Amino acid sequence: MSSIFAKIIKGEIPCYKIAEDDNFLAFLDVNPNVKGHTLCVPKQEIDKIFDIDDGLYLGLMQFSKKIAIALEKTVPCKRIGMAVIGLEVPHAHVHLIPLNEMDEMRFHNKVSMTNEEFETLVKEVQANL
């Protein structure tokens, strides 16, 4: 059965897409810890991050770095945190989270954003890519 990320990649479920190439997709988390919380996923459906072959893994890190740099230029923050947890969706993915304090890396407090806020943020981040 396809994960929610596989369905997003196939276009079966909409997303707030920031960037995409042949191997990876970056999109805003719809249940964000903070404004700008972004997910970077390989298009190949692989459950665990360390099951990804070395080339694709390094590519995911390079892709994530590019997105993180654009996020940091867009969302006021002290730095971009990165987390790989992988329990919530059985598809390897990287969380990029703009941080001003450590609690923003915790996945218990979430922020609400309107559709318009998501769409505006996508355009702002894309402008910084």
Side-chain angles (χ1 to χ4, degrees), residues 53-92:
D53 72 59
D54 289 350
L56 192 64
Y57 175 84
L58 293 173
L60 177 59
M61 292 301 113
Q62 290 172 325
F63 182 82
S64 298
K65 179 181 177 181
K66 181 174 92 171
I67 303 305
I69 290 168
L71 274 174
E72 193 168 31
K73 290 177 182 175
T74 307
V75 179
C77 61
K78 292 180 180 175
R79 67 185 59 213
I80 301 295
M82 182 175 82
V84 177
I85 299 166
L87 294 175
E88 64 280 15
V89 178
H91 187 132

Side-chain angles (χ1 to χ4, degrees), residues 12 26 32 36-37 39-40 43-44 50 56 61 65 75 83 89 91 101 105 117 121-122 127 129:
E12 296 171 5
H37 183 165
L39 301 172
C40 296
K43 289 184 175 179
Q44 185 179 353
F50 296 121
L56 192 64
M61 292 301 113
K65 179 181 177 181
V75 179
V89 178
H91 187 132
E101 56 185 68
M105 278 303 287
E117 289 172 320
L121 183 56
V122 165
L129 281 173

Side-chain angles (χ1 to χ4, degrees), residues 6-122:
K7 292 176 182 177
I8 289 170
I9 292 163
K10 292 176 190 171
E12 296 171 5
I13 297 174
C15 71
Y16 296 102
K17 185 189 309 183
I18 291 175
E20 176 178 27
D21 66 17
D22 291 341
N23 296 309
F24 308 105
L25 176 65
F27 54 94
L28 295 175
D29 191 315
V30 295
N31 191 25
N33 289 14
V34 297
K35 179 181 177 180
H37 183 165
T38 299
L39 301 172
C40 296
V41 302
K43 289 184 175 179
Q44 185 179 353
E45 191 168 16
I46 300 169
D47 182 7
K48 299 174 185 173
I49 192 110
F50 296 121
D51 287 344
I52 298 174
D53 72 59
D54 289 350
L56 192 64
Y57 175 84
L58 293 173
L60 177 59
M61 292 301 113
Q62 290 172 325
F63 182 82
S64 298
K65 179 181 177 181
K66 181 174 92 171
I67 303 305
I69 290 168
L71 274 174
E72 193 168 31
K73 290 177 182 175
T74 307
V75 179
C77 61
K78 292 180 180 175
R79 67 185 59 213
I80 301 295
M82 182 175 82
V84 177
I85 299 166
L87 294 175
E88 64 280 15
V89 178
H91 187 132
H93 58 286
V94 172
H95 293 265
L96 299 175
I97 304 172
L99 297 175
N100 287 301
E101 56 185 68
M102 286 299 294
D103 263 2
E104 292 168 334
M105 278 303 287
R106 300 175 70 125
F107 289 78
H108 59 75
N109 293 328
K110 301 291 183 168
V111 297
S112 295
M113 294 176 62
T114 66
N115 184 52
E116 293 76 25
E117 289 172 320
F118 277 114
E119 289 174 357
T120 298
L121 183 56
V122 165

